[in-house]
PDB file of all heavy atoms in Angstrom:
ATOM      1  N   GLY F   1     101.779 105.144 115.755  1.00 98.00           N
ATOM      2  CA  GLY F   1     100.751 104.923 114.761  1.00 98.00           C
ATOM      3  C   GLY F   1     101.222 104.249 113.493  1.00 98.00           C
ATOM      4  O   GLY F   1     100.426 104.061 112.565  1.00 98.00           O
ATOM      5  N   ILE F   2     102.485 103.857 113.434  1.00 98.00           N
ATOM      6  CA  ILE F   2     103.055 103.214 112.249  1.00 98.00           C
ATOM      7  C   ILE F   2     103.609 101.851 112.649  1.00 98.00           C
ATOM      8  O   ILE F   2     104.319 101.720 113.650  1.00 98.00           O
ATOM      9  CB  ILE F   2     104.180 104.079 111.641  1.00 98.00           C
ATOM     10  CG1 ILE F   2     103.650 105.463 111.245  1.00 98.00           C
ATOM     11  CG2 ILE F   2     104.808 103.389 110.431  1.00 98.00           C
ATOM     12  CD1 ILE F   2     104.735 106.454 110.899  1.00 98.00           C
ATOM     13  N   THR F   3     103.292 100.845 111.864  1.00 98.00           N
ATOM     14  CA  THR F   3     103.727  99.488 112.171  1.00 98.00           C
ATOM     15  C   THR F   3     105.220  99.434 112.442  1.00 98.00           C
ATOM     16  O   THR F   3     106.034  99.974 111.685  1.00 98.00           O
ATOM     17  CB  THR F   3     103.396  98.547 110.994  1.00 98.00           C
ATOM     18  OG1 THR F   3     101.981  98.542 110.788  1.00 98.00           O
ATOM     19  CG2 THR F   3     103.860  97.124 111.294  1.00 98.00           C
ATOM     20  N   THR F   4     105.575  98.801 113.542  1.00 98.00           N
ATOM     21  CA  THR F   4     106.970  98.545 113.904  1.00 98.00           C
ATOM     22  C   THR F   4     107.049  97.059 114.219  1.00 98.00           C
ATOM     23  O   THR F   4     106.783  96.633 115.344  1.00 98.00           O
ATOM     24  CB  THR F   4     107.394  99.405 115.115  1.00 98.00           C
ATOM     25  OG1 THR F   4     107.195 100.792 114.799  1.00 98.00           O
ATOM     26  CG2 THR F   4     108.854  99.175 115.464  1.00 98.00           C
ATOM     27  N   GLY F   5     107.389  96.264 113.212  1.00 98.00           N
ATOM     28  CA  GLY F   5     107.203  94.813 113.292  1.00 98.00           C
ATOM     29  C   GLY F   5     108.414  94.002 113.667  1.00 98.00           C
ATOM     30  O   GLY F   5     108.330  92.767 113.703  1.00 98.00           O
ATOM     31  N   TRP F   6     109.560  94.643 113.900  1.00 98.00           N
ATOM     32  CA  TRP F   6     110.764  93.946 114.348  1.00 98.00           C
ATOM     33  C   TRP F   6     111.197  92.839 113.381  1.00 98.00           C
ATOM     34  O   TRP F   6     111.980  91.960 113.750  1.00 98.00           O
ATOM     35  CB  TRP F   6     110.585  93.365 115.742  1.00 98.00           C
ATOM     36  CG  TRP F   6     110.279  94.375 116.808  1.00 98.00           C
ATOM     37  CD1 TRP F   6     110.293  95.734 116.699  1.00 98.00           C
ATOM     38  CD2 TRP F   6     109.923  94.103 118.170  1.00 98.00           C
ATOM     39  NE1 TRP F   6     109.974  96.334 117.893  1.00 98.00           N
ATOM     40  CE2 TRP F   6     109.735  95.349 118.821  1.00 98.00           C
ATOM     41  CE3 TRP F   6     109.749  92.943 118.911  1.00 98.00           C
ATOM     42  CZ2 TRP F   6     109.384  95.455 120.165  1.00 98.00           C
ATOM     43  CZ3 TRP F   6     109.389  93.048 120.240  1.00 98.00           C
ATOM     44  CH2 TRP F   6     109.218  94.287 120.863  1.00 98.00           C
ATOM     45  N   GLY F   7     110.676  92.849 112.158  1.00 98.00           N
ATOM     46  CA  GLY F   7     111.056  91.865 111.158  1.00 98.00           C
ATOM     47  C   GLY F   7     110.476  90.482 111.373  1.00 98.00           C
ATOM     48  O   GLY F   7     110.738  89.567 110.584  1.00 98.00           O
ATOM     49  N   ALA F   8     109.671  90.303 112.418  1.00 98.00           N
ATOM     50  CA  ALA F   8     109.271  88.962 112.855  1.00 98.00           C
ATOM     51  C   ALA F   8     107.761  88.770 112.800  1.00 98.00           C
ATOM     52  O   ALA F   8     106.992  89.657 113.179  1.00 98.00           O
ATOM     53  CB  ALA F   8     109.769  88.711 114.281  1.00 98.00           C
ATOM     54  N   GLU F   9     107.343  87.599 112.369  1.00 98.00           N
ATOM     55  CA  GLU F   9     105.926  87.299 112.191  1.00 98.00           C
ATOM     56  C   GLU F   9     105.062  87.588 113.417  1.00 98.00           C
ATOM     57  O   GLU F   9     103.959  88.158 113.265  1.00 98.00           O
ATOM     58  CB  GLU F   9     105.767  85.825 111.769  1.00 98.00           C
ATOM     59  CG  GLU F   9     106.162  85.527 110.336  1.00 98.00           C
ATOM     60  CD  GLU F   9     107.671  85.387 110.130  1.00 98.00           C
ATOM     61  OE1 GLU F   9     108.442  85.592 111.121  1.00 98.00           O
ATOM     62  OE2 GLU F   9     108.093  85.072 109.010  1.00 98.00           O
ATOM     63  N   PRO F  10     105.478  87.251 114.622  1.00 98.00           N
ATOM     64  CA  PRO F  10     104.594  87.507 115.769  1.00 98.00           C
ATOM     65  C   PRO F  10     104.317  88.994 116.006  1.00 98.00           C
ATOM     66  O   PRO F  10     103.357  89.334 116.712  1.00 98.00           O
ATOM     67  CB  PRO F  10     105.367  86.908 116.954  1.00 98.00           C
ATOM     68  CG  PRO F  10     106.295  85.913 116.343  1.00 98.00           C
ATOM     69  CD  PRO F  10     106.682  86.500 115.030  1.00 98.00           C
ATOM     70  N   TYR F  11     105.145  89.871 115.436  1.00 98.00           N
ATOM     71  CA  TYR F  11     105.008  91.309 115.685  1.00 98.00           C
ATOM     72  C   TYR F  11     104.677  92.089 114.410  1.00 98.00           C
ATOM     73  O   TYR F  11     104.751  93.317 114.395  1.00 98.00           O
ATOM     74  CB  TYR F  11     106.306  91.851 116.294  1.00 98.00           C
ATOM     75  CG  TYR F  11     106.771  91.061 117.485  1.00 98.00           C
ATOM     76  CD1 TYR F  11     107.807  90.138 117.371  1.00 98.00           C
ATOM     77  CD2 TYR F  11     106.160  91.204 118.727  1.00 98.00           C
ATOM     78  CE1 TYR F  11     108.226  89.389 118.456  1.00 98.00           C
ATOM     79  CE2 TYR F  11     106.569  90.459 119.820  1.00 98.00           C
ATOM     80  CZ  TYR F  11     107.599  89.555 119.680  1.00 98.00           C
ATOM     81  OH  TYR F  11     108.008  88.817 120.761  1.00 98.00           O
ATOM     82  N   ALA F  12     104.290  91.383 113.369  1.00 98.00           N
ATOM     83  CA  ALA F  12     104.088  92.014 112.062  1.00 98.00           C
ATOM     84  C   ALA F  12     103.005  93.090 112.080  1.00 98.00           C
ATOM     85  O   ALA F  12     103.012  93.987 111.231  1.00 98.00           O
ATOM     86  CB  ALA F  12     103.746  90.947 111.020  1.00 98.00           C
ATOM     87  N   HIS F  13     102.091  93.007 113.023  1.00 98.00           N
ATOM     88  CA  HIS F  13     101.004  94.000 113.093  1.00 98.00           C
ATOM     89  C   HIS F  13     101.116  94.862 114.348  1.00 98.00           C
ATOM     90  O   HIS F  13     100.131  95.478 114.779  1.00 98.00           O
ATOM     91  CB  HIS F  13      99.654  93.285 113.051  1.00 98.00           C
ATOM     92  CG  HIS F  13      99.492  92.417 111.833  1.00 98.00           C
ATOM     93  ND1 HIS F  13      99.382  92.935 110.558  1.00 98.00           N
ATOM     94  CD2 HIS F  13      99.454  91.063 111.703  1.00 98.00           C
ATOM     95  CE1 HIS F  13      99.268  91.943 109.692  1.00 98.00           C
ATOM     96  NE2 HIS F  13      99.307  90.798 110.360  1.00 98.00           N
ATOM     97  N   ARG F  14     102.290  94.932 114.903  1.00 98.00           N
ATOM     98  CA  ARG F  14     102.525  95.723 116.115  1.00 98.00           C
ATOM     99  C   ARG F  14     102.556  97.212 115.764  1.00 98.00           C
ATOM    100  O   ARG F  14     103.359  97.649 114.943  1.00 98.00           O
ATOM    101  CB  ARG F  14     103.845  95.288 116.756  1.00 98.00           C
ATOM    102  CG  ARG F  14     104.237  96.051 117.994  1.00 98.00           C
ATOM    103  CD  ARG F  14     105.596  95.566 118.522  1.00 98.00           C
ATOM    104  NE  ARG F  14     106.033  96.379 119.655  1.00 98.00           N
ATOM    105  CZ  ARG F  14     106.679  97.531 119.544  1.00 98.00           C
ATOM    106  NH1 ARG F  14     106.970  98.000 118.349  1.00 98.00           N
ATOM    107  NH2 ARG F  14     107.030  98.210 120.605  1.00 98.00           N
ATOM    108  N   ILE F  15     101.689  98.006 116.398  1.00 98.00           N
ATOM    109  CA  ILE F  15     101.633  99.446 116.141  1.00 98.00           C
ATOM    110  C   ILE F  15     101.820 100.177 117.469  1.00 98.00           C
ATOM    111  O   ILE F  15     100.931 100.167 118.322  1.00 98.00           O
ATOM    112  CB  ILE F  15     100.305  99.852 115.486  1.00 98.00           C
ATOM    113  CG1 ILE F  15     100.127  99.122 114.157  1.00 98.00           C
ATOM    114  CG2 ILE F  15     100.264 101.369 115.268  1.00 98.00           C
ATOM    115  CD1 ILE F  15      98.808  99.418 113.462  1.00 98.00           C
ATOM    116  N   PRO F  16     102.961 100.800 117.686  1.00 98.00           N
ATOM    117  CA  PRO F  16     103.221 101.494 118.956  1.00 98.00           C
ATOM    118  C   PRO F  16     102.443 102.801 119.043  1.00 98.00           C
ATOM    119  O   PRO F  16     102.039 103.374 118.027  1.00 98.00           O
ATOM    120  CB  PRO F  16     104.724 101.753 118.905  1.00 98.00           C
ATOM    121  CG  PRO F  16     105.047 101.814 117.451  1.00 98.00           C
ATOM    122  CD  PRO F  16     104.113 100.852 116.775  1.00 98.00           C
ATOM    123  N   ASP F  17     102.255 103.278 120.261  1.00 98.00           N
ATOM    124  CA  ASP F  17     101.541 104.544 120.449  1.00 98.00           C
ATOM    125  C   ASP F  17     102.471 105.670 120.886  1.00 98.00           C
ATOM    126  O   ASP F  17     102.022 106.755 121.244  1.00 98.00           O
ATOM    127  CB  ASP F  17     100.390 104.388 121.450  1.00 98.00           C
ATOM    128  CG  ASP F  17     100.844 103.813 122.787  1.00 98.00           C
ATOM    129  OD1 ASP F  17     102.065 103.773 123.034  1.00 98.00           O
ATOM    130  OD2 ASP F  17      99.976 103.415 123.586  1.00 98.00           O
ATOM    131  N   THR F  18     103.773 105.402 120.868  1.00 98.00           N
ATOM    132  CA  THR F  18     104.769 106.437 121.171  1.00 98.00           C
ATOM    133  C   THR F  18     105.926 106.306 120.193  1.00 98.00           C
ATOM    134  O   THR F  18     106.063 105.293 119.496  1.00 98.00           O
ATOM    135  CB  THR F  18     105.308 106.317 122.609  1.00 98.00           C
ATOM    136  OG1 THR F  18     105.899 105.019 122.772  1.00 98.00           O
ATOM    137  CG2 THR F  18     104.213 106.517 123.640  1.00 98.00           C
ATOM    138  N   ASP F  19     106.765 107.332 120.162  1.00 98.00           N
ATOM    139  CA  ASP F  19     107.953 107.329 119.314  1.00 98.00           C
ATOM    140  C   ASP F  19     109.187 106.952 120.129  1.00 98.00           C
ATOM    141  O   ASP F  19     109.299 107.281 121.318  1.00 98.00           O
ATOM    142  CB  ASP F  19     108.200 108.713 118.709  1.00 98.00           C
ATOM    143  CG  ASP F  19     107.214 109.062 117.600  1.00 98.00           C
ATOM    144  OD1 ASP F  19     106.863 108.151 116.822  1.00 98.00           O
ATOM    145  OD2 ASP F  19     106.822 110.243 117.515  1.00 98.00           O
ATOM    146  N   ALA F  20     110.122 106.293 119.477  1.00 99.00           N
ATOM    147  CA  ALA F  20     111.432 106.065 120.086  1.00 99.00           C
ATOM    148  C   ALA F  20     112.170 107.390 120.206  1.00 99.00           C
ATOM    149  O   ALA F  20     111.888 108.360 119.498  1.00 99.00           O
ATOM    150  CB  ALA F  20     112.237 105.091 119.222  1.00 99.00           C
ATOM    151  N   THR F  21     113.134 107.435 121.101  1.00 98.00           N
ATOM    152  CA  THR F  21     113.932 108.649 121.268  1.00 98.00           C
ATOM    153  C   THR F  21     114.619 109.038 119.965  1.00 98.00           C
ATOM    154  O   THR F  21     114.645 110.219 119.591  1.00 98.00           O
ATOM    155  CB  THR F  21     114.986 108.447 122.369  1.00 98.00           C
ATOM    156  OG1 THR F  21     114.325 108.230 123.619  1.00 98.00           O
ATOM    157  CG2 THR F  21     115.889 109.660 122.504  1.00 98.00           C
ATOM    158  N   VAL F  22     115.166 108.088 119.245  1.00 98.00           N
ATOM    159  CA  VAL F  22     115.830 108.382 117.969  1.00 98.00           C
ATOM    160  C   VAL F  22     114.839 108.979 116.979  1.00 98.00           C
ATOM    161  O   VAL F  22     115.165 109.926 116.242  1.00 98.00           O
ATOM    162  CB  VAL F  22     116.496 107.109 117.405  1.00 98.00           C
ATOM    163  CG1 VAL F  22     116.849 107.285 115.945  1.00 98.00           C
ATOM    164  CG2 VAL F  22     117.746 106.760 118.202  1.00 98.00           C
ATOM    165  N   THR F  23     113.635 108.458 116.947  1.00 98.00           N
ATOM    166  CA  THR F  23     112.600 108.994 116.056  1.00 98.00           C
ATOM    167  C   THR F  23     112.336 110.457 116.375  1.00 98.00           C
ATOM    168  O   THR F  23     112.262 111.316 115.474  1.00 98.00           O
ATOM    169  CB  THR F  23     111.292 108.196 116.196  1.00 98.00           C
ATOM    170  OG1 THR F  23     111.577 106.787 116.084  1.00 98.00           O
ATOM    171  CG2 THR F  23     110.278 108.595 115.152  1.00 98.00           C
ATOM    172  N   ARG F  24     112.191 110.764 117.657  1.00 98.00           N
ATOM    173  CA  ARG F  24     111.931 112.154 118.070  1.00 98.00           C
ATOM    174  C   ARG F  24     113.106 113.065 117.760  1.00 98.00           C
ATOM    175  O   ARG F  24     112.924 114.207 117.303  1.00 98.00           O
ATOM    176  CB  ARG F  24     111.603 112.207 119.564  1.00 98.00           C
ATOM    177  CG  ARG F  24     110.313 111.500 119.961  1.00 98.00           C
ATOM    178  CD  ARG F  24     109.855 111.948 121.351  1.00 98.00           C
ATOM    179  NE  ARG F  24     110.885 111.719 122.366  1.00 98.00           N
ATOM    180  CZ  ARG F  24     111.005 110.591 123.061  1.00 98.00           C
ATOM    181  NH1 ARG F  24     110.160 109.588 122.846  1.00 98.00           N
ATOM    182  NH2 ARG F  24     111.949 110.471 123.986  1.00 98.00           N
ATOM    183  N   LYS F  25     114.308 112.593 118.011  1.00 98.00           N
ATOM    184  CA  LYS F  25     115.489 113.424 117.759  1.00 98.00           C
ATOM    185  C   LYS F  25     115.639 113.757 116.277  1.00 98.00           C
ATOM    186  O   LYS F  25     115.971 114.899 115.910  1.00 98.00           O
ATOM    187  CB  LYS F  25     116.748 112.710 118.272  1.00 98.00           C
ATOM    188  CG  LYS F  25     116.966 112.823 119.780  1.00 98.00           C
ATOM    189  CD  LYS F  25     118.235 112.100 120.191  1.00 98.00           C
ATOM    190  CE  LYS F  25     118.585 112.386 121.651  1.00 98.00           C
ATOM    191  NZ  LYS F  25     119.180 113.723 121.825  1.00 98.00           N
ATOM    192  N   LEU F  26     115.392 112.793 115.427  1.00 99.00           N
ATOM    193  CA  LEU F  26     115.532 113.049 113.999  1.00 99.00           C
ATOM    194  C   LEU F  26     114.435 113.981 113.493  1.00 99.00           C
ATOM    195  O   LEU F  26     114.683 114.829 112.623  1.00 99.00           O
ATOM    196  CB  LEU F  26     115.530 111.733 113.223  1.00 99.00           C
ATOM    197  CG  LEU F  26     116.819 110.913 113.394  1.00 99.00           C
ATOM    198  CD1 LEU F  26     116.660 109.523 112.805  1.00 99.00           C
ATOM    199  CD2 LEU F  26     118.003 111.633 112.747  1.00 99.00           C
ATOM    200  N   ARG F  27     113.231 113.855 114.045  1.00 98.00           N
ATOM    201  CA  ARG F  27     112.173 114.793 113.669  1.00 98.00           C
ATOM    202  C   ARG F  27     112.554 116.215 114.103  1.00 98.00           C
ATOM    203  O   ARG F  27     112.378 117.177 113.356  1.00 98.00           O
ATOM    204  CB  ARG F  27     110.845 114.381 114.287  1.00 98.00           C
ATOM    205  CG  ARG F  27     109.669 115.272 113.836  1.00 98.00           C
ATOM    206  CD  ARG F  27     108.365 114.912 114.517  1.00 98.00           C
ATOM    207  NE  ARG F  27     107.998 113.532 114.262  1.00 98.00           N
ATOM    208  CZ  ARG F  27     107.898 112.595 115.200  1.00 98.00           C
ATOM    209  NH1 ARG F  27     108.157 112.899 116.469  1.00 98.00           N
ATOM    210  NH2 ARG F  27     107.554 111.372 114.889  1.00 98.00           N
ATOM    211  N   ALA F  28     113.096 116.324 115.317  1.00 98.00           N
ATOM    212  CA  ALA F  28     113.500 117.639 115.808  1.00 98.00           C
ATOM    213  C   ALA F  28     114.631 118.234 114.970  1.00 98.00           C
ATOM    214  O   ALA F  28     114.761 119.459 114.869  1.00 98.00           O
ATOM    215  CB  ALA F  28     113.930 117.538 117.269  1.00 98.00           C
ATOM    216  N   ALA F  29     115.456 117.365 114.367  1.00 98.00           N
ATOM    217  CA  ALA F  29     116.554 117.826 113.522  1.00 98.00           C
ATOM    218  C   ALA F  29     116.093 118.176 112.113  1.00 98.00           C
ATOM    219  O   ALA F  29     116.893 118.645 111.306  1.00 98.00           O
ATOM    220  CB  ALA F  29     117.641 116.757 113.454  1.00 98.00           C
ATOM    221  N   GLY F  30     114.801 117.913 111.810  1.00 98.00           N
ATOM    222  CA  GLY F  30     114.260 118.258 110.510  1.00 98.00           C
ATOM    223  C   GLY F  30     114.286 117.155 109.485  1.00 98.00           C
ATOM    224  O   GLY F  30     113.905 117.368 108.329  1.00 98.00           O
ATOM    225  N   ALA F  31     114.732 115.960 109.873  1.00 99.00           N
ATOM    226  CA  ALA F  31     114.780 114.852 108.920  1.00 99.00           C
ATOM    227  C   ALA F  31     113.364 114.380 108.582  1.00 99.00           C
ATOM    228  O   ALA F  31     112.448 114.473 109.398  1.00 99.00           O
ATOM    229  CB  ALA F  31     115.597 113.699 109.489  1.00 99.00           C
ATOM    230  N   VAL F  32     113.207 113.870 107.370  1.00 99.00           N
ATOM    231  CA  VAL F  32     111.909 113.460 106.825  1.00 99.00           C
ATOM    232  C   VAL F  32     111.864 111.935 106.740  1.00 99.00           C
ATOM    233  O   VAL F  32     112.694 111.315 106.068  1.00 99.00           O
ATOM    234  CB  VAL F  32     111.699 114.084 105.434  1.00 99.00           C
ATOM    235  CG1 VAL F  32     110.457 113.523 104.764  1.00 99.00           C
ATOM    236  CG2 VAL F  32     111.624 115.606 105.543  1.00 99.00           C
ATOM    237  N   LEU F  33     110.890 111.331 107.414  1.00 99.00           N
ATOM    238  CA  LEU F  33     110.797 109.869 107.468  1.00 99.00           C
ATOM    239  C   LEU F  33     110.149 109.321 106.201  1.00 99.00           C
ATOM    240  O   LEU F  33     108.947 109.519 105.968  1.00 99.00           O
ATOM    241  CB  LEU F  33     109.995 109.433 108.700  1.00 99.00           C
ATOM    242  CG  LEU F  33     109.806 107.923 108.878  1.00 99.00           C
ATOM    243  CD1 LEU F  33     111.156 107.230 109.083  1.00 99.00           C
ATOM    244  CD2 LEU F  33     108.873 107.628 110.039  1.00 99.00           C
ATOM    245  N   LEU F  34     110.930 108.599 105.386  1.00 99.00           N
ATOM    246  CA  LEU F  34     110.420 107.952 104.183  1.00 99.00           C
ATOM    247  C   LEU F  34     109.705 106.648 104.510  1.00 99.00           C
ATOM    248  O   LEU F  34     108.768 106.257 103.806  1.00 99.00           O
ATOM    249  CB  LEU F  34     111.563 107.647 103.223  1.00 99.00           C
ATOM    250  CG  LEU F  34     112.243 108.839 102.557  1.00 99.00           C
ATOM    251  CD1 LEU F  34     113.545 108.398 101.907  1.00 99.00           C
ATOM    252  CD2 LEU F  34     111.324 109.483 101.527  1.00 99.00           C
ATOM    253  N   GLY F  35     110.152 105.962 105.559  1.00 99.00           N
ATOM    254  CA  GLY F  35     109.541 104.691 105.919  1.00 99.00           C
ATOM    255  C   GLY F  35     110.430 103.889 106.836  1.00 99.00           C
ATOM    256  O   GLY F  35     111.495 104.342 107.277  1.00 99.00           O
ATOM    257  N   LYS F  36     109.975 102.681 107.121  1.00 99.00           N
ATOM    258  CA  LYS F  36     110.666 101.774 108.032  1.00 99.00           C
ATOM    259  C   LYS F  36     111.438 100.741 107.211  1.00 99.00           C
ATOM    260  O   LYS F  36     110.857  99.984 106.439  1.00 99.00           O
ATOM    261  CB  LYS F  36     109.662 101.081 108.959  1.00 99.00           C
ATOM    262  CG  LYS F  36     108.710 102.042 109.691  1.00 99.00           C
ATOM    263  CD  LYS F  36     109.439 102.989 110.605  1.00 99.00           C
ATOM    264  CE  LYS F  36     110.017 102.286 111.804  1.00 99.00           C
ATOM    265  NZ  LYS F  36     109.000 101.727 112.724  1.00 99.00           N
ATOM    266  N   THR F  37     112.756 100.724 107.395  1.00 99.00           N
ATOM    267  CA  THR F  37     113.594  99.783 106.661  1.00 99.00           C
ATOM    268  C   THR F  37     113.598  98.419 107.340  1.00 99.00           C
ATOM    269  O   THR F  37     113.468  98.302 108.550  1.00 99.00           O
ATOM    270  CB  THR F  37     115.032 100.315 106.543  1.00 99.00           C
ATOM    271  OG1 THR F  37     115.518 100.665 107.836  1.00 99.00           O
ATOM    272  CG2 THR F  37     115.071 101.543 105.631  1.00 99.00           C
ATOM    273  N   THR F  38     113.776  97.399 106.534  1.00 98.00           N
ATOM    274  CA  THR F  38     113.643  96.028 107.007  1.00 98.00           C
ATOM    275  C   THR F  38     114.814  95.612 107.893  1.00 98.00           C
ATOM    276  O   THR F  38     115.911  96.163 107.819  1.00 98.00           O
ATOM    277  CB  THR F  38     113.564  95.049 105.824  1.00 98.00           C
ATOM    278  OG1 THR F  38     114.775  95.165 105.059  1.00 98.00           O
ATOM    279  CG2 THR F  38     112.376  95.353 104.944  1.00 98.00           C
ATOM    280  N   LEU F  39     114.549  94.620 108.719  1.00 98.00           N
ATOM    281  CA  LEU F  39     115.597  93.948 109.470  1.00 98.00           C
ATOM    282  C   LEU F  39     115.301  92.466 109.461  1.00 98.00           C
ATOM    283  O   LEU F  39     114.139  92.049 109.395  1.00 98.00           O
ATOM    284  CB  LEU F  39     115.673  94.448 110.915  1.00 98.00           C
ATOM    285  CG  LEU F  39     114.497  94.178 111.844  1.00 98.00           C
ATOM    286  CD1 LEU F  39     114.976  94.048 113.278  1.00 98.00           C
ATOM    287  CD2 LEU F  39     113.465  95.302 111.764  1.00 98.00           C
ATOM    288  N   GLY F  40     116.358  91.657 109.492  1.00 97.00           N
ATOM    289  CA  GLY F  40     116.141  90.240 109.696  1.00 97.00           C
ATOM    290  C   GLY F  40     115.402  90.029 110.998  1.00 97.00           C
ATOM    291  O   GLY F  40     115.585  90.770 111.965  1.00 97.00           O
TER     292      GLY F  40
END
């Protein structure tokens, strides 16, 4: 439900309907997601 745009114009509005494994693991560890950091 949160934009995951891969840093690239063709995917700037890409919104996945599942979480990556890393996303799930960090949530399970109690980490708090501030946001999505940029990539080239």
Side-chain angles (χ1 to χ4, degrees):
I2 301 169
T3 299
T4 302
W6 300 352
E9 286 80 357
Y11 309 102
H13 303 292
R14 178 182 175 275
I15 300 178
D17 55 13
T18 59
D19 287 322
T21 296
V22 164
T23 310
R24 295 197 303 271
K25 280 180 171 283
L26 288 170
R27 184 183 301 117
V32 172
L33 179 63
L34 291 167
K36 308 298 290 294
T37 52
T38 60
L39 65 150

